[in-house]
Amino acid sequence: SQQGEEDPQALSIQEGENATMNCSYKTSINNLQWYRQNSGRGLVHLILIRSNEREKHSGRLRVTLDTSKKSSSLLITASRAADTASYFCATDVNSWGKLQFGAGTQVVVTP
Amino acid sequence: SQTIHQWPATLVQPVGSPLSLECTVEGTSNPNLYWYRQAAGRGLQLLFYSVGIGQISSEVPQNLSASRPQDRQFILSSKKLLLSDSGFYLCAQGGGSGGVFTDEKLFFGSGTQLSVL
């Protein structure tokens, strides 16, 4: 079964708007990561947040982690058409690199 | 930065035929390598991982096998493909080597889209 569950499954916004997606997981983690996948391509790592961190920023990305609720959110600010992709959260339970991925949120940004 | 080569990019195979997907990586010696599968509209499922030559761990029982004949080569195989083997197969490399992880993030290849008909 999947460890991470993303919400919403799909998101459609206009350029300049913010996009927020959420991830819930089931077991204790060492870290949680967000990846991006363009259609038919491999995944690209975006950001990693450790279990003892609550918030992290990278450019237009902001990630939060609430370990008490076993949830995380990814915010993309001032979205661009190039942000159109699927976004996946992945949890690292034992630091062996055996990440468990959710089903992803498909984001479409229209000009 | 890691460079991961996967081929072929797309593959259409009949049920019952064999499969061999190859992944090679550049850079780090003795890399930690992974095979993931992504079903249509789904997340990734870890199939195999390897921390060194000849060392393979399977995560789920299935119709597939993996081998690591060389340090930077990871191969996914099947003797007889099933319809349920269709999917997008991704090879990944983790930071660190030999089972030691210095950076938990994964680097992915561009994937192979396998259609079994």
Side-chain angles (χ1 to χ4, degrees), chain B residues 12-99:
Chain B
V12 180
Q13 292 284 97
V15 169
S17 65
L19 173 74
S20 180
L21 300 181
E22 188 163 343
C23 170
T24 60
V25 303
E26 297 179 9
T28 309
S29 294
N30 200 19
N32 301 316
L33 299 175
Y34 308 81
W35 277 111
Y36 280 86
R37 177 171 61 198
Q38 183 179 28
R42 300 294 302 275
L44 277 68
Q45 179 186 35
L46 178 63
L47 302 177
F48 301 96
Y49 73 96
S50 171
V51 298
I53 296 174
Q55 301 180 60
I56 308 294
S57 294
S58 174
E59 289 297 297
V60 293
Q62 58 211 321
N63 185 43
L64 303 169
S65 61
S67 62
R68 186 156 172 187
Q70 299 181 43
D71 183 37
R72 296 175 184 155
Q73 184 184 35
F74 202 19
I75 297 174
L76 184 70
S77 304
S78 174
K79 292 182 179 178
K80 289 185 177 181
L81 283 169
L82 306 173
L83 289 174
S84 57
D85 292 324
S86 294
F88 191 49
Y89 288 83
L90 290 154
C91 178
Q93 176 183 355
S97 63

Side-chain angles (χ1 to χ4, degrees), chain A residues 54-73:
Chain A
R54 292 297 168 260
E55 187 171 315
K56 205 162 184 179
H57 297 255
S58 176
R60 293 184 296 112
L61 305 179
R62 173 178 169 257
V63 170
T64 63
L65 179 65
D66 187 335
T67 53
S68 66
K69 295 181 179 179
K70 291 187 169 60
S71 67
S72 173
S73 68

Side-chain angles (χ1 to χ4, degrees), chain A residues 2 31 33 35 37 40-43 45 48 50 88 92 95-99 101-103, chain B residues 34 36 38 41-44 46 49 51 59 88 90 99 101 104-106 108-111:
Chain A
Q2 293 179 165
N31 65 69
Q33 303 176 35
Y35 287 80
Q37 183 183 34
R41 305 289 295 177
L43 278 71
H45 180 266
L48 179 154
R50 301 189 188 283
F88 295 88
D92 184 353
S95 294
W96 270 87
K98 297 190 290 181
L99 300 183
F101 286 81
Chain B
Y34 308 81
Y36 280 86
Q38 183 179 28
R42 300 294 302 275
L44 277 68
L46 178 63
Y49 73 96
V51 298
E59 289 297 297
F88 191 49
L90 290 154
F101 294 85
E104 297 96 328
K105 65 185 177 184
L106 295 181
F108 285 85
S110 55

Side-chain angles (χ1 to χ4, degrees), chain A residues 13-77:
Chain A
I13 56 175
Q14 292 194 318
E15 269 192 327
E17 293 180 338
N18 295 341
T20 301
M21 58 210 85
N22 304 294
C23 170
S24 60
Y25 56 93
K26 299 174 184 175
T27 63
S28 296
I29 59 173
N30 289 323
N31 65 69
L32 185 143
Q33 303 176 35
W34 286 90
Y35 287 80
R36 165 197 167 122
Q37 183 183 34
N38 287 82
S39 181
R41 305 289 295 177
L43 278 71
V44 176
H45 180 266
L46 295 176
I47 196 165
L48 179 154
I49 187 165
R50 301 189 188 283
S51 60
N52 61 353
E53 297 176 312
R54 292 297 168 260
E55 187 171 315
K56 205 162 184 179
H57 297 255
S58 176
R60 293 184 296 112
L61 305 179
R62 173 178 169 257
V63 170
T64 63
L65 179 65
D66 187 335
T67 53
S68 66
K69 295 181 179 179
K70 291 187 169 60
S71 67
S72 173
S73 68
L74 172 66
L75 168 68
I76 305 173
T77 60

Side-chain angles (χ1 to χ4, degrees), chain A residues 2 5-12 20-22 85-88 103-108, chain B residues 41-42:
Chain A
Q2 293 179 165
E5 299 282 346
E6 284 96 340
D7 172 58
Q9 291 184 341
L11 183 60
S12 184
T20 301
M21 58 210 85
N22 304 294
S86 292
Y87 293 82
F88 295 88
T105 293
Q106 189 172 8
V107 176
V108 175
Chain B
R42 300 294 302 275

